[in-house]
Amino acid sequence: QKEVEQNSGPLSVPEGAIASLNCTYSDRGSQSFFWYRQYSGKSPELIMFIYSNGDKEDGRFTAQLNKASQYVSLLIRDSQPSDSATYLCAVNGRQLTFGSGTQLTVLP
Amino acid sequence: EADIYQTPRYLVIGTGKKITLECSQTMGHDKMYWYQQDPGMELHLIHYSYGVNSTEKGDLSSESTVSRIRTEHFPLTLESARPSHTSQYLCASSASGANVLTFGAGSRLTVL
């Protein structure tokens, strides 16, 4: 079993809809969780991170943690075509471990 | 402006050549990392450093080597490049006690 798993997609949503991205992790001791966005041909950039003590909202983005089920989700409200990218989940264990990413396409 | 810089951005080189990918950061971060990423594939950690004169191998075995003589500089070297080394190499850094990574723009290496 991979340490961090994501559905590779592609996930397509219409403009203005809510995009929901999920990530499961295997290390129950993980304390911090990160979402990065990577445009094609570019390097990853941090969107937001949360600690094990709660969810977080930042503008159109909300990160939620379900510790019991060991998954993290990223919700993107009012999705825009500019949100089309690969979204990488990363979990902080012994090292920061990245998932393989979910490709999101927002259709105009 | 504090940032992380990688050079060269693109490199095409013949088999057997020695190459060094440069990475420098002006953020005062103690931790630095090298990741390898093939197109459309996941990031693989190949080297990391938590400070000067400290380097460790990552999860993905790599024939490359790194050095950390100065806090801001973390170069990666391939003594003899092979076509299997063709990939994108991403350098990143983070502050001590945090794992919020800032990535450089990447170095895309093609070995013919």
Side-chain angles (χ1 to χ4, degrees):
Chain A
Q1 181 192 4
K2 282 188 163 184
E3 292 183 51
V4 179
E5 295 208 48
Q6 294 181 256
N7 187 329
S8 61
L11 171 67
S12 294
V13 300
E15 183 174 356
I18 296 175
S20 177
L21 304 158
N22 295 313
C23 165
T24 60
Y25 61 95
S26 60
D27 183 359
R28 283 195 174 275
S30 299
Q31 295 291 319
S32 48
F33 308 86
F34 304 79
W35 283 101
Y36 285 82
R37 176 177 60 202
Q38 186 173 26
Y39 291 113
S40 180
K42 302 294 185 182
S43 56
E45 54 182 343
L46 181 73
I47 298 175
M48 62 193 311
F49 66 95
I50 57 173
Y51 293 109
S52 58
N53 59 352
D55 302 341
K56 188 174 180 179
E57 180 176 321
D58 184 2
R60 296 187 296 114
F61 298 91
T62 299
Q64 298 174 322
L65 172 65
N66 185 320
K67 287 195 74 174
S69 301
Q70 293 178 238
Y71 77 79
V72 192
S73 61
L74 178 71
L75 301 177
I76 307 175
R77 289 182 298 281
D78 188 24
S79 296
Q80 301 296 310
S82 58
D83 294 327
S84 298
T86 296
Y87 289 80
L88 303 170
C89 170
V91 177
N92 199 15
R94 183 180 66 86
Q95 284 292 343
L96 189 65
T97 302
F98 284 85
S100 56
T102 298
Q103 186 181 339
L104 171 67
T105 300
V106 180
L107 304 169
Chain B
E1 182 183 337
D3 210 339
I4 181 165
Y5 304 94
Q6 288 188 244
T7 57
R9 290 291 315 280
Y10 303 93
L11 179 63
V12 181
I13 200 163
T15 297
K17 300 292 186 183
K18 177 180 178 179
I19 64 115
T20 296
L21 304 179
E22 302 287 350
C23 178
S24 294
Q25 50 95 5
T26 58
M27 294 175 284
H29 287 168
D30 288 325
K31 299 181 181 179
M32 296 189 74
Y33 311 81
W34 277 104
Y35 287 86
Q36 185 175 341
Q37 186 181 37
D38 292 325
M41 304 298 285
E42 59 195 280
L43 289 161
H44 291 286
L45 180 66
I46 52 175
H47 299 284
Y48 62 97
S49 167
Y50 285 170
V52 171
N53 294 325
S54 162
T55 62
E56 301 286 345
K57 289 187 179 293
D59 299 327
L60 182 69
S61 176
S62 173
E63 294 165 342
S64 59
T65 59
V66 292
S67 62
R68 189 90 183 276
I69 298 172
R70 302 198 316 266
T71 300
E72 63 273 18
H73 195 213
F74 192 39
L76 180 146
T77 299
L78 274 166
E79 291 291 334
S80 180
R82 294 206 302 272
S84 61
H85 296 138
T86 295
S87 189
Q88 168 142 277
Y89 293 84
L90 291 162
C91 182
S93 69
S94 69
S96 287
N99 260 355
V100 178
L101 268 58
T102 300
F103 285 86
S107 292
R108 187 170 296 280
L109 172 66
T110 302
V111 184
L112 303 175

